[in-house]
Amino acid sequence: MGRPSGGAHLSLLGAPQILLDGKVRVLDARPAALLAYLAAEGPRPRSACAALLWPDTPPAAARNNLAQLLRRLEQQAGRVLVSGQRGLALTPHLTVDLWDPPLPGEAALLGGVDADFSRAFEDWLDAQRERRRVAQDQQVVQAIAALVEDGNLIAATALAAQRVERDPLNEEAHQLLMQLYHRRGDRAAAMQAYLRLQATFRLELGEEPSAETARLARDLAAGEAAHPPRQPMPLSLLRPPVLLGREEAWAQMEAGWTAGAGVALIGAPGSGKSRLVLDFVQAHPNHHVLLLQGQAGDQDTAYSAHARTYRQTLDAFPGLAASLPDWVRRELARIIPELGPAPAPLASDEEKLRFYDAKYEVLRRVTERGPVVLISDDLQFMDDASIEAGAYVYAKFWGNGHAPLRSMFCYREGTLSAAAEALSRQMYASGLVRPVHLAPLGTDATEALLRSIEVPGAARLAVEVQRFTGGNPQLTLEFAKYLYAQGEFGVEAVKEAANRTLGGLVAERLARLSPAAFQAAQAAVTLRSDFSLEQVAEVLGWGIMELLGAWEELEHAQVVRGERFAHDLVAQAVQGRLEEMPMVCALLHRKAARVLGEQGAPPARVAAHWQAGNQTAQAAPWWERAAQHAEATRHFAEAAGFYLSASQAFAEAGDAGRAEEMRRRGEHAARLSAPVTA
């Protein structure tokens, strides 16, 4: 295809059309969808484009559909609009209305198109439309801020009232209107605005306004000074583009995937490993995805990560458990008791391999239902036994580009246990698994990231932000949240914030939580692994409905997402605050030990909570149970460590006889774990 000369303008807001040589040509729905995707996202892999538009079509057929679409688009436009081989991009001569700043009242992206797109594309389109709507709203907020700065509070309040009328469910818009009424000295109008918000939420959503808004109303009613209007966080800040500075890593992942190898993403906390791997598998939609996440505390108990993994697998495929052969169900019952009575403890390496073969049989039967990709996230938290078993099982699929199972791993560099590190080096050396290291973002990539999340003055701030964050994407996002919370985007504001640790900035966000919300976060971080809302409520002694309001506040503040912390950085900040209150910390650990003990949690996990709660007498028998469990699964080194903990706990509790017994058992387990020498 030849390269066109001259310019062309593409209109995607409203009915899609292109202006060529003074003539307007209307575009069909699917070509317009491809153009909109490339205009908004920039250059994208050809496979990603095909997968987005035809997610339910086999990859080869989707690629063929894409090739035909490109030919049809060239014929329809009379010239090339999209170029590239492995990656696709709009040609340089093309201008697009989507690149212009959003304007209030503009038509929706592809608003004039009535077509049955894929669900994946519809989700993407909804997100793009929401992004522009939020950007339009931000322009109004900026105009209000300018009027306030000029001292024109009457005009600012009128504009804020119009904003509320346009979007009556925008709680932040109501907050700003309340604050402006207060600044004008009209406390009655401020309270009336809150009452209108309350009525709207009750009628439309069946909910009350957030705790933050309720607190604002109480402050205004008491005559306390309102906070100045702040620029709201843009939608893009919650899910920024993934490929900024990650194109090379993506190419390495594609190469490993094509070869049928496992792929391991390795990087610092916050380097974007999880997000990158999830976006990657979305570009391969013909595979069913199983996301398996390591949790802090998994290391305490052999096969704890695999117990969760195989439960998730059986839940994801209804009928699978019932179809398993009896010998497989018996072996899996070692880690999933609900499958039936477990056989006797493993007595030889041959019995251990039979246990591993049962795990392989489960995944083999899963792949008979269609190709699967297994993502093991936070591998550094998983116990060595699960990692060893997983390597045995996955290796049966590796090395075949047509294998029905693919495996991908994410972990922090330098954080694997010695055993897991040695195993990973073997896998990398053999080529069965390909490591992909995520390097820090440079200044240019940091600037691009700041632009993508709509930070004002990104070009001016990029050098200082990159210096402060070290090019870590998650730290950059946390820093951007701080700037939005402060409403200041000058270089001096960045330098001032950079004088403190990022943990301090996250701690400032936590300090704005209500006491109830912060207590809920403390209980969750104490539980550490696989916490549920029901467990958090039990630890606190609350009813579940009492907890939900506090949890909603935590989600709104981006402290948690569902039943997980939003990021390790946030969990670490909560943990740091909790450790400053040793009595509260110990009490929460004791409550967690009782709750988990009653629920049948792994003994080592319960023991660790009793130990952290300064209750060594309670911890001792739980350490003994943990050691016995490790012996039963032939993990003698772990058993030796647990027996040592039990011996120390019994000694501290004044039971010298039991302490000596545990010491002898530990020495026996250590001898069994020692390598045999000639």
Side-chain angles (χ1 to χ4, degrees):
M1 296 188 291
R3 188 178 179 85
S5 60
H9 182 72
L10 179 62
S11 295
L12 295 170
L13 300 175
Q17 55 190 26
I18 186 165
L19 178 63
L20 291 168
D21 303 324
K23 297 181 180 179
V24 174
R25 305 185 188 189
V26 177
L27 294 171
D28 292 338
R30 205 167 292 272
L34 175 63
L35 293 172
Y37 183 52
L38 295 175
E41 300 289 348
R44 298 293 292 169
R46 184 179 286 256
S47 59
C49 297
L52 185 71
L53 295 174
W54 295 281
D56 299 324
T57 303
R63 289 194 296 270
N64 183 57
N65 289 345
L66 180 61
Q68 293 181 20
L69 184 149
L70 291 171
R71 285 194 292 271
R72 188 166 76 250
L73 178 59
E74 182 182 357
Q75 293 170 355
Q76 191 174 1
R79 61 178 66 185
V80 175
L81 300 180
V82 177
S83 60
Q85 295 301 319
R86 291 187 64 183
L88 298 179
L90 299 182
T91 49
H93 71 280
L94 195 59
T95 61
V96 187
D97 61 353
L98 194 61
W99 297 340
D100 297 331
L103 297 174
E106 71 180 15
L109 175 61
L110 301 186
V113 174
D114 183 16
D116 185 17
F117 292 117
S118 71
R119 176 62 182 272
F121 183 81
E122 291 287 357
D123 290 343
W124 175 86
L125 183 59
D126 288 343
Q128 291 296 319
R129 288 171 173 171
E130 177 64 10
R131 175 177 291 184
R132 290 192 72 84
R133 187 200 66 75
V134 170
Q136 294 167 20
D137 186 61
Q138 283 184 297
Q139 288 187 341
V140 176
V141 172
Q142 291 167 357
I144 293 172
L147 290 169
V148 170
E149 188 173 349
D150 291 341
N152 194 345
L153 291 178
I154 294 177
T157 306
L159 199 56
Q162 293 172 12
R163 181 177 174 228
V164 167
E165 290 298 323
R166 282 194 299 271
D167 189 0
L169 296 180
N170 183 340
E171 191 168 5
E172 187 274 332
H174 286 272
Q175 292 175 353
L176 179 56
L177 180 60
M178 292 162 60
Q179 290 169 330
L180 288 171
Y181 277 130
H182 182 269
R183 291 184 66 156
R184 288 176 57 187
D186 194 344
R187 189 185 306 174
M191 295 311 301
Q192 187 61 40
Y194 175 70
L195 294 175
R196 284 198 299 272
L197 165 64
Q198 191 177 54
T200 300
F201 268 43
R202 286 175 176 174
L203 289 172
E204 298 290 338
L205 305 177
E207 299 176 358
E208 293 293 324
S210 69
E212 178 186 357
T213 304
R215 276 200 311 275
L216 175 62
R218 288 194 298 270
D219 291 345
L220 298 184
E224 297 181 12
H227 298 292
R230 290 174 177 171
Q231 194 163 352
M233 292 186 189
L235 183 70
S236 56
L237 185 52
L238 304 180
R239 189 169 175 81
V242 66
L243 279 181
L244 291 172
R246 297 299 185 222
E247 293 82 359
E248 182 179 351
W250 187 284
Q252 293 178 42
M253 294 164 70
E254 281 283 7
W257 179 279
T258 302
V263 176
L265 267 67
I266 311 161
S271 55
K273 304 178 292 295
S274 303
R275 169 71 196 282
L276 183 61
V277 77
L278 288 174
D279 277 19
F280 181 84
V281 298
Q282 286 177 2
H284 300 80
N286 56 315
H287 281 66
H288 186 96
V289 177
L290 288 177
L291 176 59
L292 318 170
Q293 293 181 299
Q295 303 284 349
D298 282 349
Q299 307 96 322
D300 296 337
T301 304
Y303 303 117
S304 57
H306 256 199
R308 184 169 58 252
T309 294
Y310 278 83
R311 278 194 178 95
Q312 288 179 230
T313 303
L314 296 177
D315 289 344
F317 294 91
L320 176 61
S323 70
L324 295 175
D326 289 342
W327 74 271
V328 173
R329 291 175 62 87
R330 282 195 302 273
E331 291 296 330
L332 287 184
R334 296 181 187 277
I335 56 175
I336 307 178
E338 55 265 35
L339 290 180
L346 297 171
S348 66
D349 288 340
E350 289 74 17
E351 290 184 6
K352 181 196 283 190
L353 289 181
R354 180 174 175 82
F355 176 40
Y356 289 2
D357 283 332
K359 296 182 176 186
Y360 165 71
E361 181 64 19
V362 172
L363 292 187
R364 188 191 68 78
R365 287 172 177 262
V366 165
T367 59
E368 288 180 344
R369 305 182 178 208
V372 176
V373 55
L374 288 171
I375 302 173
S376 297
D377 195 16
D378 282 332
L379 193 70
Q380 73 275 358
F381 290 137
M382 294 187 182
D383 60 281
D384 288 344
S386 293
I387 293 176
E388 176 189 88
Y392 175 88
V393 172
Y394 300 157
K396 292 179 177 288
F397 296 95
W398 286 334
N400 177 5
H402 302 288
L405 182 139
R406 304 301 177 92
S407 50
M408 309 190 79
F409 311 93
C410 301
Y411 66 89
R412 302 176 192 170
E413 194 150 20
T415 59
L416 294 182
S417 68
E421 186 68 42
L423 181 60
S424 66
R425 284 198 298 268
Q426 293 175 14
M427 295 298 177
Y428 300 153
S430 68
L432 292 176
V433 180
R434 299 194 182 186
V436 178
H437 295 269
L438 298 186
L441 302 180
T443 302
D444 290 345
T446 298
E447 180 183 338
L449 177 56
L450 293 176
R451 288 183 184 279
S452 73
I453 56 179
E454 303 167 44
V455 171
R460 292 182 289 104
L461 304 181
V463 172
E464 290 296 332
V465 172
Q466 198 276 342
R467 181 182 296 126
F468 175 55
T469 64
N472 184 293
Q474 184 62 38
L475 300 190
T476 302
L477 296 178
E478 288 294 332
F479 194 59
K481 291 174 186 176
Y482 170 80
L483 295 178
Y484 272 102
Q486 299 301 309
E488 297 183 24
F489 301 92
V491 174
E492 291 305 315
V494 173
K495 289 182 177 179
E496 186 275 331
N499 288 330
R500 289 168 282 168
T501 64
L502 191 93
L505 301 183
V506 177
E508 288 183 22
R509 183 145 52 99
L510 296 177
R512 293 193 288 270
L513 295 173
S514 68
F518 189 62
Q519 288 171 25
Q522 288 177 314
V525 83
T526 300
L527 285 163
R528 295 192 303 166
S529 176
D530 284 344
F531 70 79
S532 66
L533 291 183
E534 290 80 5
Q535 288 176 330
V536 172
E538 283 196 59
V539 167
L540 292 172
W542 296 356
I544 190 65
M545 297 307 296
E546 184 180 358
L547 174 64
L548 290 179
W551 205 259
E552 184 177 335
E553 182 182 347
L554 291 176
E555 290 189 320
H556 182 73
Q558 298 181 52
V559 174
V560 298
R561 295 193 188 112
E563 293 182 327
R564 284 179 64 86
F565 279 95
H567 194 269
D568 289 344
L569 290 169
V570 180
Q572 290 165 10
V574 175
Q575 183 67 45
R577 289 280 303 278
L578 180 59
E579 289 172 356
E580 295 172 1
M581 300 175 281
M583 291 297 294
V584 174
C585 184
L587 179 61
L588 286 174
H589 276 294
R590 292 198 290 269
K591 288 187 174 181
R594 292 190 184 95
V595 169
L596 295 174
E598 292 171 357
Q599 294 180 352
R605 188 176 171 199
V606 179
H609 280 296
W610 281 123
Q611 198 81 42
N614 301 322
Q615 298 289 313
T616 53
Q618 296 274 17
W622 286 99
W623 285 126
E624 181 181 4
R625 292 183 211 175
Q628 293 168 345
H629 182 273
E631 281 185 316
T633 56
R634 299 190 65 74
H635 286 82
F636 298 112
E638 288 183 11
F642 291 144
Y643 275 128
L644 176 60
S645 295
S647 177
Q648 293 171 342
F650 276 121
E652 289 182 31
D655 192 338
R658 294 284 283 147
E660 176 61 20
E661 180 186 353
M662 294 300 102
R663 186 189 64 78
R664 290 197 303 269
R665 290 189 186 180
E667 289 177 349
H668 177 68
R671 287 193 295 271
L672 292 175
S673 70
V676 178
T677 57

